[in-house]
Amino acid sequence: MAGDLLAEFEWRGLLSQASSPDELAAHLNSGTRAIYCGFDPTADSLHIGSLVPLLALRRLQVLGHKPILLLGGATGLIGDPSFKAQERALNGPDVVAGWVAKLRTQVEAFVDFDCGEQSAIIVNNLDWTADVPVLDFLRDVGKHFSVNAMIQKESVKQRIEREGEGISFTEFTYMVLQSFDFAKLNELHDCTVQIGGNDQWGNITGGIDLTRRMNRQRVFGITLPLVTKADGTKFGKTESGTIWLDPAKTSPYSFYQFWLNAADEDVYGYLRLFTFLQQNEIEAIEAADAASTGRRSAQGILATEATRLVHGDAGLEAAQRISDALFSGEFANLAEGDLEQLALDGLPSTEVDGTGMTLLDALVESGLAQTPRGEVTLGQARKFVQGNAVSVNGQKISDTEAMLARENALHDRFHVLRRGKKLFHLLKWR
RNA sequence: GGAGGGGUUCCCGAGUGGCCAAAGGGAUCAGACUGUAAAUCUGACGCGAAAGCUUCGGUGGUUCGAAUCCACCCCCCUCCA
């Protein structure tokens, strides 16, 4: 029924490590298995880093398994030290609980909760940890862990060995908690497989060992690759910050643009990781691009597919509408309603009063005059204008004394400000 | 509790009384080139048009003058107990 699931993961580049691959394959191909992945609330939204495991759960469900989405209401209070260079500040219980609620609505969109045996479920590890007495926990769970083995884990080794850093007992304990989750889910929901990012390997194997010791059950782990970029910079960040899944934090337009700007070296790998396109389809795209000289088609396909997965058809349409309008440069041809729609679609916009303002003020007002450090200053606005980086309604302006007059606005109401190649802002006269 | 090392502008990291708004690298931003790429080149990179103002863990002090010296405090790391 499941087909050769691991083979599917393999060609997509989704397989980083797997415990006992042969037995795991047999296990997955011989029935519906409950497979879990945890998501810790470290912010009020997930970002695209979580997209790989989220989509992996969906792929597993499509292939006949039952996804369990675990929200780290408990682990989020502790903080995962895995491969983190520094100890992190603790977040308050109320804050974490609020984030859990937000993540819940977010992850729900990715799996099916009503499809019989494979229906997904959502759990919160706070439910089985909050009321465990410390002494019971230390005796029943802690006894199974060897500190000698724990400090050997690659994930914490650098923290322990690195001069100038350290690790608190709190974070050191994280692995024990996550391992306990696996054992608990095994007991409560017959969960036998855990997936996670490659940085989770240490935590996952900890859970495998604990489940064997506490429940006498054989369970498995799979890790997914951490997405990288060919140029070595961190995946998922742009000049304007992290790419979030929450449309209120990263508009579908920005999300779409993020994928559209993927590097050629990365884009075909991303098609495998972030879309449900089949192997032959992706290979066809690759071949077509190799045969042409201009812009690659892959980025557009990736942006379209990924945006639809996360923001739906409506989000995708909005994103494309804005992109087409802005990058065609044909502002004059846009109808008043079109411009209005762009603002509704998520193009950043600001309303201003009066009959005119200086260009520099407009750049500050709109937030476009942002320094590399993230501050918005008049001086930076001046630098941009002097550096020929600013255009208004498609016209480059390099005069720092320039005024924006309402009478020159498109449809008497709009100025489209552009700073650099890719940053736009709509100024609306009230 | 004892001994030692350390906290510099987003990050790493020089700087040990004036020439320091603070070397160098990275990241970031802009321009040119281009495909809304990559690579490369150029410029910017505390605030300010400028004068000047505000920065080097914190608070006081010494001095004409301090990131640099002194005192106390906070935080981090290593080793010992």
Side-chain angles (χ1 to χ4, degrees):
Chain A
M1 58 178 291
D4 202 344
L5 187 150
L6 289 181
E8 156 83 7
F9 270 47
E10 183 112 45
W11 80 258
R12 281 195 187 273
L14 273 171
L15 213 51
S16 228
Q17 304 186 67
S19 64
S20 321
D22 295 340
E23 291 165 64
L24 172 60
H27 180 69
L28 289 173
N29 290 333
S30 60
T32 294
R33 308 302 181 188
I35 300 176
Y36 110 86
C37 181
F39 300 90
D40 268 6
T42 56
D44 59 1
S45 168
L46 295 173
H47 50 82
I48 56 176
S50 301
L51 213 45
V52 171
L54 232 27
L55 294 178
L57 284 179
R58 173 148 156 186
R59 294 179 205 283
L60 290 164
Q61 187 171 39
V62 169
L63 292 167
H65 297 290
K66 175 187 181 69
I68 299 176
L69 297 97
L70 179 145
L71 298 172
T75 36
L77 291 169
I78 302 304
D80 186 0
S82 297
F83 298 99
K84 300 285 189 313
Q86 292 183 323
E87 183 89 10
R88 292 191 291 175
L90 292 174
N91 297 306
D94 296 349
V95 173
V96 172
W99 289 347
V100 165
K102 290 208 164 195
L103 297 202
R104 183 183 293 271
T105 62
Q106 244 173 23
V107 300
E108 278 173 354
F110 290 89
V111 288
D112 192 340
F113 290 89
D114 186 19
C115 55
E117 203 186 354
Q118 288 104 266
S119 296
I121 57 172
I122 296 183
V123 296
N124 183 343
N125 58 14
L126 193 61
D127 293 344
W128 57 77
T129 47
D131 296 327
V132 179
V134 194
L135 292 178
D136 288 356
F137 189 77
L138 291 176
R139 290 175 62 93
D140 300 340
V141 181
K143 198 67 177 170
H144 295 295
F145 286 83
S146 151
V147 168
N148 306 257
M150 286 171 74
I151 60 175
Q152 291 303 315
K153 300 270 184 189
E154 210 49 54
S155 52
V156 295
K157 223 171 179 176
Q158 63 182 66
R159 278 280 285 284
I160 290 171
E161 290 176 357
R162 185 176 175 203
E163 184 91 9
E165 290 299 337
I167 183 169
S168 67
F169 180 70
T170 305
E171 285 198 6
F172 187 58
T173 311
Y174 184 92
M175 197 187 109
V176 177
L177 271 185
Q178 183 168 333
S179 299
F180 185 54
D181 288 342
F182 202 174
K184 257 318 193 198
L185 286 175
N186 173 255
E187 175 195 327
L188 299 172
H189 299 289
D190 195 25
C191 173
T192 51
V193 180
Q194 178 179 183
I195 67 172
N198 199 224
D199 55 342
Q200 294 300 306
W201 182 248
N203 294 333
I204 291 174
T205 53
I208 293 174
D209 291 339
L210 183 65
T211 307
R212 187 181 61 245
R213 291 178 181 137
M214 286 182 71
N215 304 356
R216 308 215 165 277
Q217 290 291 312
R218 178 74 185 268
V219 293
F220 304 89
I222 299 173
T223 61
L224 311 166
L226 297 178
V227 183
T228 57
K229 284 172 65 175
D231 63 10
T233 57
K234 199 168 162 52
F235 172 78
K237 299 265 185 185
T238 66
E239 64 265 26
S240 42
T242 304
I243 303 296
W244 303 96
L245 299 187
D246 182 347
K249 288 170 75 80
T250 298
S251 71
Y253 159 70
S254 300
F255 187 85
Y256 180 86
Q257 284 287 322
F258 170 80
W259 296 108
L260 197 63
N261 283 301
D264 291 355
E265 293 93 315
D266 294 324
V267 72
Y268 304 100
Y270 291 174
L271 281 174
R272 291 170 169 78
L273 294 174
F274 296 104
T275 74
F276 283 84
L277 295 176
Q278 296 304 304
Q279 186 165 16
N280 57 344
E281 297 176 280
I282 293 172
E283 283 168 358
I285 295 166
E286 215 165 340
D289 280 348
S292 78
T293 50
R295 193 192 218 299
R296 311 306 177 92
S297 66
Q299 279 88 344
I301 296 167
L302 172 66
T304 301
E305 294 293 323
T307 305
R308 186 170 21 227
L309 277 173
V310 175
H311 297 299
D313 285 324
L316 172 63
E317 276 170 40
Q320 289 181 330
R321 193 156 48 225
I322 300 182
S323 298
D324 291 347
L326 295 182
F327 288 98
S328 68
E330 308 282 315
F331 303 112
N333 299 341
L334 290 174
E336 184 168 0
D338 293 341
L339 286 161
E340 198 73 65
Q341 184 62 42
L342 293 186
L344 293 175
D345 285 347
L347 175 66
S349 63
T350 306
E351 291 200 14
V352 291
D353 291 308
T355 55
M357 70 195 302
T358 67
L359 174 59
L360 297 187
D361 283 343
L363 290 170
V364 171
E365 192 70 28
S366 64
L368 287 178
Q370 199 179 40
T371 65
R373 299 178 76 208
E375 291 167 291
V376 176
T377 66
L378 199 59
Q380 187 65 33
R382 191 170 279 114
K383 279 174 191 160
F384 281 135
V385 174
Q386 284 169 345
N388 206 24
V390 175
S391 64
V392 177
N393 294 339
Q395 292 283 313
K396 281 274 185 190
I397 298 187
S398 52
D399 174 13
T400 54
E401 304 294 311
M403 293 288 296
L404 297 185
R406 176 162 189 171
E407 51 191 320
N408 296 332
L410 298 169
H411 302 289
D412 223 30
R413 293 195 50 211
F414 301 101
H415 275 109
V416 180
L417 304 178
R418 180 182 198 174
R419 185 213 89 195
K421 280 194 176 63
K422 301 171 190 171
L423 229 51
F424 293 89
H425 196 97
L426 189 64
L427 210 61
K428 291 162 58 174
W429 297 95
R430 240 192 292 265

